[in-house]
Amino acid sequence: ESWEAASPDLTRNDKSKMGPSGGPITKDNTSVEYYGTIFAALESPHEPGVLWAGSDDGLVHVSRDGGTTWSNVTPPGLPEWTQINGIDAHPFEPGGLYVAGTRYKLDDFRPYLYKTTDYGATWTEISGGIDPAHFTRAIRADPDRRGLLFAGTERGVYVTFDDGASWQSLQLKLPVVPVTDLAVKEKDLVAATQGRGFWILDDLSPLHQLTPEIAAGEEPYLFAPRPAHRLRTGRSRNVENAGKNPPTGVVFHYLLPEAPAADVEISFEIRDPAGETIRTFTRKPAEDAEKDEDEDDGDEGEDLAKLESEKGLNRFVWDLAYAGAEKFPGLVLWNSGLRGPRAVPGTYSARFAVGDWSAEAPFEVLADPRSSPTSEDYEAQFRFHLGVRDKLSEVHREIGRLREVRKQLESLEKRLKDDPEAAGLIETADALDEKMTAIEEALYQTKNRSRQDPLNFPIRLNDKLAGLLDLAGFGDNPPTAQMVAVRDKLVATIDAELAKLAAVWSEDLPAFNAMAREGGVAAVILAAEKSPK
């Protein structure tokens, strides 16, 4: 209803007595030398009525009665006229405060950082390790680890793990730039810079867990990942001056004391809540994985992701997707999104192995906070998506087997084309190939050679099913009645064609091989049916 003054005498100067700066001839009334301003203030997150204030003329005050009375608790060692540029409450001590001061306007470029845990009764300077020319602008305490502090200076960011006893640079890829303020938000560190925009250090989890023993260890170390939200994001290409979002999915960090030799096997095994393996990633992508420059990473359903194995800290991201639909060489589709279903919210685990060493870490997949489906909705979407993926994979596996049989038939015909006694066998091979071709052309548009060919040639059953696969993963919703109806109709038609092909494998091909053996010709071998991923 009304405002009340709660800041009497919180600066070095009595404003009623302050006069203009400068000399009697020329007054300096441009405000650049005005002091006596409360420059930083905060309310205690621990106790009601506890307020802190710092002024630009070098004073720190505390009130424990909501501002009715204030006590001057300026650190005794703080040089006079230090600007209190930033303060931050101690996240674990009710009487704790961190102070960042600057004196660069007085040609003093040293860092000034102080801490108290007893409401300012005693203070400790905590600037050790910061470059003496990097004056301090901000200090922030991490709420998830006691003693983890971040300092913003004129030349970048510093970190301490021991509550300020020793600092080290946390510059990484941050430009050398004045850092005017810092914020810790949901385990991310946000830096405001003077002239180079905002920067975010994603995921402070490794810093929360890092110890000298882990850093100096002789074995690899897997950090526990923070929870990952189940998000679906997009991106635009070639956007000038665009920032970069953090990766979508669960982020794993691991330390390697040395870069493993090339023959040492490294793997990440992702397991579902029941302990079943979802994906396995290694240092090498799948042998048949090809990156399509027109598609986003992983959109083709291939295991393109590979593990880094450099000495020191490495990072790996699982995008929460199960394996995509299988492909065969030369596959061209209009509906090219072959991604597998995304993991539903729940508790998962990862097993990281380097040679004979291994470690496991559980992690949470959280629902998109902007969405409100039920667990049944997630499960229905997942099962529908998985079923469509498996049927499409089955189609592509069978086409792959069919083409391998055709290659053998063509090779056999080349070898026997000049043998008059093989005319009957060649005629039977042609008939067999004709029957397979009719089935193949019903399942797949065999005229496709490039991504634009489907504009000229109608898509077939597998392409239609691929379109449904892409829609199945859209949003967080269960399949609609229309999607189920389309699935059932397509699957019924596909199964009819696959049944014809199964008859070819069980009847026509054995009969052909029997005829070939009678003529002393090697049989055509049908590749074994692969198990689904």
Side-chain angles (χ1 to χ4, degrees), residues 91-278:
F92 304 100
E93 297 288 345
L97 185 75
Y98 297 98
V99 172
T102 65
R103 300 184 81 244
Y104 68 92
K105 296 178 182 179
L106 302 172
D107 288 335
D108 179 356
F109 302 103
R110 289 174 294 173
Y112 291 103
L113 300 177
Y114 288 82
K115 71 174 180 181
T116 182
T117 58
D118 52 12
Y119 300 94
T122 60
W123 292 87
T124 302
E125 184 176 3
I126 54 170
S127 306
I130 297 179
D131 190 302
H134 293 184
F135 62 84
T136 45
R137 292 178 176 269
I139 186 168
R140 292 293 176 216
D142 193 292
D144 294 303
R145 175 174 174 173
R146 178 183 282 269
L148 178 60
L149 311 176
F150 306 98
T153 77
E154 182 66 3
R155 293 292 184 268
V157 176
Y158 284 79
V159 63
T160 176
F161 296 90
D162 49 18
D163 211 27
S166 59
W167 293 85
Q168 56 188 292
S169 174
L170 191 63
Q171 198 67 9
L172 304 175
K173 295 182 179 179
L174 181 69
V176 176
V177 62
V179 176
T180 55
D181 204 356
L182 294 168
V184 178
K185 177 71 171 178
E186 297 177 358
K187 293 182 170 60
D188 292 338
L189 179 64
V190 185
T193 70
Q194 199 169 65
R196 297 298 293 269
F198 290 101
W199 290 71
I200 301 177
L201 178 59
D202 298 315
D203 194 359
L204 297 173
S205 297
L207 297 186
H208 295 157
Q209 303 168 52
L210 185 64
T211 66
E213 293 73 23
I214 292 174
E218 297 181 358
E219 288 189 336
Y221 188 83
L222 174 63
F223 294 94
R226 69 174 175 180
H229 285 89
R230 187 181 188 267
L231 304 176
R232 184 76 178 266
T233 60
R235 62 187 176 94
S236 299
R237 295 179 179 274
N238 303 320
V239 179
E240 293 184 5
N241 301 322
K244 186 177 182 181
N245 288 325
T248 301
V250 58
V251 180
F252 298 98
H253 292 91
Y254 52 96
L255 274 175
L256 297 176
E258 298 291 341
D263 60 345
V264 175
E265 191 170 310
I266 301 178
S267 65
F268 245 108
E269 187 177 298
I270 310 297
R271 296 172 178 172
D272 66 14
E276 298 295 325
T277 299
I278 297 173

Side-chain angles (χ1 to χ4, degrees), residues 346-507:
T347 302
Y348 295 72
S349 64
R351 180 180 181 273
F352 177 52
V354 180
D356 296 330
W357 177 93
S358 66
E360 295 192 19
F363 62 92
E364 292 290 327
V365 174
L366 305 177
D368 186 336
R370 303 166 298 179
S371 185
S372 57
T374 65
S375 58
E376 291 77 14
D377 291 338
Y378 280 122
E379 191 64 27
Q381 182 192 43
F382 176 80
R383 292 299 168 194
F384 181 84
H385 197 158
L386 195 66
V388 174
R389 182 208 70 173
D390 289 348
K391 178 56 66 174
L392 187 58
S393 291
E394 181 184 0
V395 171
H396 290 168
R397 285 196 302 272
E398 288 302 303
I399 292 176
R401 298 174 82 201
L402 181 154
R403 291 187 170 188
E404 180 58 35
V405 168
R406 179 181 290 127
K407 285 182 182 178
Q408 295 182 60
L409 292 176
E410 292 173 349
S411 176
L412 184 147
E413 290 187 37
K414 287 181 180 179
R415 287 187 283 113
L416 300 178
K417 64 180 180 179
D418 297 326
D419 184 354
E421 296 183 2
L425 185 63
I426 291 175
E427 184 177 343
T428 303
D430 289 339
L432 181 59
D433 183 44
E434 186 176 340
K435 185 176 290 189
M436 292 191 304
T437 298
I439 298 171
E440 181 184 20
E441 290 181 347
L443 295 172
Y444 174 64
Q445 180 51 265
T446 59
K447 295 179 181 179
N448 284 345
R449 294 295 182 272
S450 74
R451 288 290 301 278
Q452 297 303 310
D453 281 344
L455 293 172
N456 299 313
F457 309 118
I459 64 172
R460 303 302 189 197
L461 291 169
N462 76 320
D463 214 329
K464 295 176 182 179
L465 194 62
L468 184 61
L469 180 71
D470 197 28
L471 287 175
F474 186 78
D476 296 323
N477 306 303
T480 63
Q482 294 90 333
M483 292 170 68
V484 173
V486 170
R487 188 269 316 270
D488 292 345
K489 182 176 181 180
L490 286 174
V491 169
T493 309
I494 287 171
D495 283 346
E497 296 299 325
L498 293 179
K500 296 177 187 177
L501 191 58
V504 171
W505 300 152
S506 62
E507 300 172 11

